[in-house]
């Protein structure tokens, strides 16, 4: 098993945790940065991190207020979070990276790619939000409930325990930004390729919505993983890793 190290980076009052393997097996591959979604942490990327790390340097991120990190005393919108994430990555001197975001993480990585195009070679959105059909707290809760019935127990344990650790107050602050962020318009301005990836049984990021993101972006591909739910990076890490690495060239 590869040895990993984590370090905390403070950007003003925003604390990030960056977890990476001690060494990369192939320095010719770009660094892959994994950014989790609302309420959770890097833990549900553990399987994908492990698969990707056999071929590339991988950094899993814990964002402020999640994964046990301190919650900011102020509201932090998507633009501010993305800007601070870029500064945190600057501390590693990684050069252009493949930015992978799951769920709300898709919004943070797209926004960072718009702000700092020189930092990003490829954007990957896994189960991106917010689908036109789920742009209210009630609709999000309903879709999340449906998805929880499709996720394996191992995934639900990680997700629910992270939700409890983050707490409802910080979750609701970020939920408001998640619902309001116009991802479909943001991807129109991307200067680098976009890969939209979803599990075929994902009720949160629907097929029509995912196709819209693909069609709106200047350069984009859409990949489905048959039979898998929203947290497809947990249930099918090898398929997801293969799709990501196939688009890094």
């Amino acid at each position: 098993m590869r040895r990993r190290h984590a370090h905390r980076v403070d950007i003003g009052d925003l604390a990030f945790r960056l977890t990476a393997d001690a060494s990369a097996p192939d320095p010719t591959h770009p660094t892959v940065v994994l950014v989790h979604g609302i309420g959770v942490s890097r833990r549900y990327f553990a399987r994908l991190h492990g698969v990707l790390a056999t071929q590339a340097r991988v950094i899993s991120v814990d964002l402020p207020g999640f994964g046990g990190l301190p919650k900011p005393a102020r509201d932090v919108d998507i633009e501010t979070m993305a800007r601070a994430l870029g500064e945190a990555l600057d501390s590693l001197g990684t050069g252009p990276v493949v930015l992978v975001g799951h769920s709300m993480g898709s919004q943070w990585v797209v926004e960072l790619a718009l702000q700092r195009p020189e930092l990003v070679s490829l954007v990957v959105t896994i189960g991106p939000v917010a689908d036109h059909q789920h742009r209210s707290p009630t609709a999000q809760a309903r879709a999340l409930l449906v998805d929880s019935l499709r996720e394996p127990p191992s995934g639900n344990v990680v997700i629910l325990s992270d939700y409890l650790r983050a707490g409802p107050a910080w979750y609701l602050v970020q939920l408001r930004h998640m619902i309001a962020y116009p991802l479909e318009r943001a991807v129109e301005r991307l200067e680098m390729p976009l890969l939209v990836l979803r599990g075929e049984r994902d009720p949160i990021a629907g097929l029509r919505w995912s196709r819209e993101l693909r069609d709106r972006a200047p350069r984009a591909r859409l990949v489905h993983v048959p039979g898998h739910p929203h947290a497809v990076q947990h249930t099918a890490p090898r398929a997801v890793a293969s799709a990501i690495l196939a688009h890094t060239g």
Side-chain angles (χ1 to χ4, degrees):
M1 183 175 182
R2 293 183 178 276
R3 183 167 56 88
R4 294 178 184 172
H5 60 86
H7 73 282
R8 174 169 155 169
V9 179
D10 292 290
I11 307 298
D13 61 344
L14 302 181
F16 295 81
R17 185 186 298 114
L18 308 179
T19 300
D21 292 299
S23 61
D26 185 351
T28 64
H29 278 288
T31 297
V32 180
V33 177
L34 305 176
V35 180
H36 63 77
I38 187 172
V40 289
S41 73
R42 75 184 189 283
R43 294 196 305 152
Y44 79 161
F45 272 126
R47 293 180 178 179
L48 179 60
H49 185 128
V51 175
L52 286 169
T54 64
Q55 299 186 60
R57 184 188 187 197
V58 186
I59 300 169
S60 290
V61 178
D62 283 314
L63 296 169
F66 303 115
L69 289 170
K71 296 174 180 59
R74 59 188 174 99
D75 191 0
V76 181
D77 60 20
I78 289 170
E79 291 79 6
T80 301
M81 186 77 83
R83 186 176 305 109
L85 174 58
E87 293 179 29
L89 294 177
D90 284 341
S91 70
L92 300 179
T94 56
V97 302
V98 175
L99 268 182
V100 181
H102 177 261
S103 200
M104 187 178 180
S106 296
Q107 299 179 341
W108 287 313
V109 301
V110 167
E111 180 60 32
L112 175 53
L114 293 177
Q115 294 182 13
R116 300 280 307 279
E118 79 286 354
L119 184 64
V120 185
S121 60
L122 171 70
V123 175
V124 182
T125 61
I126 304 175
V129 295
D131 193 316
H132 294 298
Q133 297 184 24
H134 309 310
R135 291 192 176 176
S136 72
T138 301
Q140 279 291 323
R142 189 182 303 115
L144 188 62
L145 176 60
V146 171
D147 183 67
S148 69
L149 300 175
R150 300 177 181 181
E151 301 285 351
S154 60
N156 279 329
V157 166
V158 171
I159 292 168
L160 292 175
S161 60
D162 275 344
Y163 278 179
L164 291 174
R165 184 162 50 161
W170 185 236
Y171 180 94
L172 291 173
V173 166
Q174 292 303 309
L175 179 64
R176 174 168 57 86
H177 295 305
M178 186 186 86
I179 291 171
Y181 187 77
L183 185 64
E184 70 277 14
R185 295 204 296 272
V187 299
E188 294 177 342
R189 297 183 284 123
L190 286 175
E191 298 180 17
M192 66 292 297
L194 168 69
L195 174 62
V196 181
L197 198 153
R198 68 181 292 273
E200 183 185 38
R201 301 185 69 231
D202 185 348
I204 296 172
L207 177 57
R208 180 179 297 179
W209 161 249
S210 299
R211 284 174 172 167
E212 178 181 347
L213 294 178
R214 176 200 61 191
D215 294 342
R216 281 178 174 258
R219 290 180 290 162
R221 296 283 301 276
L222 172 60
V223 172
H224 299 277
V225 182
H228 287 271
H230 186 58
V232 63
Q233 79 283 355
H234 177 80
T235 60
R238 293 189 182 279
V240 171
S242 294
I244 293 170
L245 293 174
H247 287 81
T248 59

